[in-house]
Every structure is written in structure tokens, then in C-alpha cells.
Amino acid sequence: MLTLPGRSCRSGVALLLVLSASVAGAQEGARRGGLALVGATVIDVVSGARTPNTTVLLQGDRIVGMGPAGTTRVPSGARVVRLPGKFIIPGLWDMHVEQALPLWDRAPVDSNAGFFHPLFLAYGVTGVRDVAGPVAVLGRWKDEIARGMRVGPRLVYSGPKLGAAPVAPGAPFPVTTRNEVSRSVALLKEGGASAVYVLQLRRDLYPTLFADARSASLAVEGSIPYTTSLWDAATNGQRVVDHLDAVLASSSTAEAALRRWQQAVDERPWWARVAWKLRLMRPPSEGPQMTLEDWSAARANSLFVHLAAHRTFQVPTLRLLGTVYRSADSAVRLPPRPLQLRAPRRPVAGWPSAPLDPADPRARVHDKMRWSVGAMQRAGVPIMAGSDTPNLYAAPGLSLHDELALLVRAGLSPLQALQSATWRPAQYLAATDTLGSVSAGTVADLVVLDADPTLDIAATRAISYVVSRGRLYDRAALDSMRARGTSMARDIEQFWLMKESGRK
């Protein structure tokens, strides 16, 4: 059972009882004969086809049958939910979350589940890819959710980022030798990780990383360190690139020089500081302009063909990039309090309350990033939606819907954006036989909507029901989960407000 720290425990228990009653009802229905969702339009997220007036039969945590509502027999004893005018899509996946890092000082990281998990499900997110945090905590959550001891989304994880921290207790850090790479990969495998997320690594250690990851059946994901290039990473078999890392640099005709300069800016060695002061090297403030000067559309399009050929998945996190580059896009905004967790004392450089002028080099860099997402989609690069919750005030679940809207504004169709949170994650996880579609034999992770998201992606926000692992959550249960996560968020927000007030 999940617990809520601090003064919200009592209300959290009450909300949990409401949620548990709903779950118990769904389980009882499954024991009596399953669940029948009758009369909705089922959306095929692969083709975009719509099948109206359909009956979807669930037994346990699987879809066991589908057919026309007028002729498909509902098993005796099944719970029937009639859904005329509704639309059924697969459960959504958020492919970049960091739910197991400290949110505040008052409670252990394990308590984070009381904030993240109810909100994920309340907003239709039935699966997540976690890219940070201790493997022990993430592994325990994954196991307990799978066994029905916790209510939460399906979970795959990579653990701490290689180059940022030890990947597990006893792991070497920093990683400087081949043996240390091998030890890190082995500990991630032992901890149940599905991938190694790379942040920084010396170039000579890359062959060892990819060889050991292949032997351990772990994907290589994450960033593109300064020691390599996006071109080489794709060739070597990196499966995922997050945050559009190196996309603009690798689209530049002066890529090597630009990445050396970027490395100096990030690491700030003494010689670079002297060179900036003496104007022997361009200062950090000119970075956006330098990125634009040698950018080449022809090289960018060649890069995207290369990424498509190697099936290098991209998780753009456009919501986060819009914050960093002060996008004026209305889909980039602060979530309602207290889901911000830590209310900003002044707007972060990026909120549309103070957008940059379109002629500003930073705004133009952001435009190139958005253009790149649309161009990659057209080139066949597989794109997955990820929110980077809770970073830069991205609320669990809610921020994924912002990300889907931003993908459409970057050039994806509503169907392609929907695929980025359903079918593409299933492809990446090599699980298209069980995930990412509404069909007999797949897992019973579904979202029931009031409108058609292939016509307007905003329809993904109009949720009537969520089914997770065969359990049906109605509007009352979803509201209870949302209130539960919000209650914990309120405690966290108050903690930070009090702490900051005490420092003044």
C-alpha cells in the first residue's frame, strides 16, 4: 500500500479507500466473467482506422475478444459498461520520466509513488520509461505493481545515468576504465534495468559499453557525449536519443569544432575562461548564434535518413525545450498549483509569460529544433513522446498531453502524435504483440475518450475511463487518484515555500 507523508496521510487513506473499492469492484467483475466495453469506436493507432459500435471483451489483464456490438456475445456474468459516442485507444506511455529522485527532504524517495502513480493513471498514462533514480526502488515498484500490491503504470527503467553517478551501490564512479564500464553494465542488469542511459563517457570506452550492453541484452540510450557524434551513436546501435541531443550540432558543417566549443562551455576549464576574457574564443553567450551559423538543411536531412536507417528512436521532450528556449507556444505552461511542486519565485527562462522575440538567436534555435522533429517524422525516424516529469514543473500525466500537442505543432499529424505514445513505445520495447494496440491478445491497458484524438489531439485530455491491467477506473476513481496525487503535491509545495521563507 502506498502511504502519504506528513499531514496528508489521513485524507490520503480516505482517498485510497475509495480507489480500493473501485479496484475491488473491477477484480470481482473479472472473477465473475470479465468486463465488456460495449458501443464505443475503437481506434487502430497503426492505420488510423475507426471501428464504430464495437464490443471489447476483457478477462483478467488481457483483451480476449472484439467484434460488432450487435453480434458479439458477452459472457454470462461479465460486467457491461456501455460507451456510445466514446472512443477507445491503447493506454498511453510517457517515455521520459524521473519519478525516483528526491522531491523534498521530509520523506524517502519510495514515497514519491504517492505523487506520481495516481496522477499517471488519472491522465491515462498506463506505462512509463524511467531514466533516473535507484534501481532498487524502481525494481521494487515494478515488481509490486505487476503483483497487484501497488496501483501504478507499467514500468521500464535504466537507473542512474552513466557518467552522472554510480549506477548502483558499489558501482564505480567516475567510470574511467573498461572494467568499470563492464561492472556498471553488470550491476544495471542485476538491478533489473532494461537499458544503459549514457550521459558522459570517453570515446575509447564506447566499444566496451556497446559490446557489454549487447551481451547483457540492454539497450544503450540517452545523450550524445562530446566524445562522439550522433552519426556514430546511431551507427554503433544507440537505440534512443533524448532531448534532441546533438541534433543541431550534427546538422552543422562545423560539427567537430562546435562540439569542442560546447564541451568547453559546459566544463569551463581555466584556459577557456581566460580565452573568453581576452576574446580569443567566442563566449558562451554566442552559443545559439554559432549553432545557427553553420547549420545545413541538407546535412540535417542526410542525418535524419541515417537515423531512420538505424532505427534510432528520438524522445524530443519538446515541452522541456520550449521552457529552456522561452517558447511562446501556448502548450508550454505552468501546471495548476500545487502540481508545480516548487512554485517559481520568478518565471523560469522559458515560460510564455516572457517569450523571446522571434528574431532572437535562442528563439531561432528552438524553431530549428521544432522543424527537426517534423523533418525526422517525414524521414521515417521513430519518435516517442516523453515529458521529463517532474523537471521544469512538468506534472505527471498532465504534461504528456502537453507533449502530444507540441508534437502536432512540430509537424506530426494527430495520429502520428498518438502513435508516439502508444505504437512507437511498443515497437521500441519489441512488444507489439502485447502492447500499443487495441486487439485480441494484447494487454488490457486502455483509455476511453469523449472525442476522436485522430481529428484533434486535444481529445486525449477528455478521459471518461482508464483501464490498467484489466482494472476499470471510472470518473469518480480517476478524480480520487488525481486528488490523491494533488494532496501530496500540496505538502511538497508547502515544504519548499516554508524552507525558502526560512532562508530569507
Side-chain angles (χ1 to χ4, degrees), residues 130-189:
D130 195 293
V131 299
V135 291
V137 171
L138 292 165
R140 182 167 62 253
W141 288 351
K142 180 178 181 177
D143 179 64
E144 291 176 355
I145 291 169
R147 292 162 59 190
M149 299 169 63
R150 289 181 181 264
V151 174
R154 296 180 190 274
L155 173 61
V156 296
Y157 59 90
S158 55
K161 298 175 175 66
L162 188 68
V167 298
F173 183 76
V175 176
T176 59
T177 69
R178 293 177 182 175
N179 287 340
E180 289 172 346
V181 171
S182 298
R183 177 63 175 156
S184 296
V185 172
L187 285 170
L188 287 173
K189 180 68 173 180

Side-chain angles (χ1 to χ4, degrees), residues 254 257-258 260-262 264-265 268 271-294 361:
L258 181 59
R260 284 195 300 270
W261 179 89
Q262 289 175 332
V265 169
R268 303 186 69 83
W271 56 264
R273 297 194 301 271
V274 171
W276 294 328
K277 189 173 183 178
L278 298 176
R279 299 294 298 181
L280 299 175
M281 186 166 68
R282 296 175 72 172
S285 60
E286 295 187 20
Q289 183 61 39
M290 292 173 64
T291 300
L292 295 165
E293 285 173 353
D294 296 299

Side-chain angles (χ1 to χ4, degrees), residues 112-130:
N112 288 10
F115 169 62
F116 285 96
H117 294 175
L119 290 171
F120 280 139
L121 292 185
Y123 288 103
V125 176
T126 60
V128 299
R129 165 182 171 252
D130 195 293

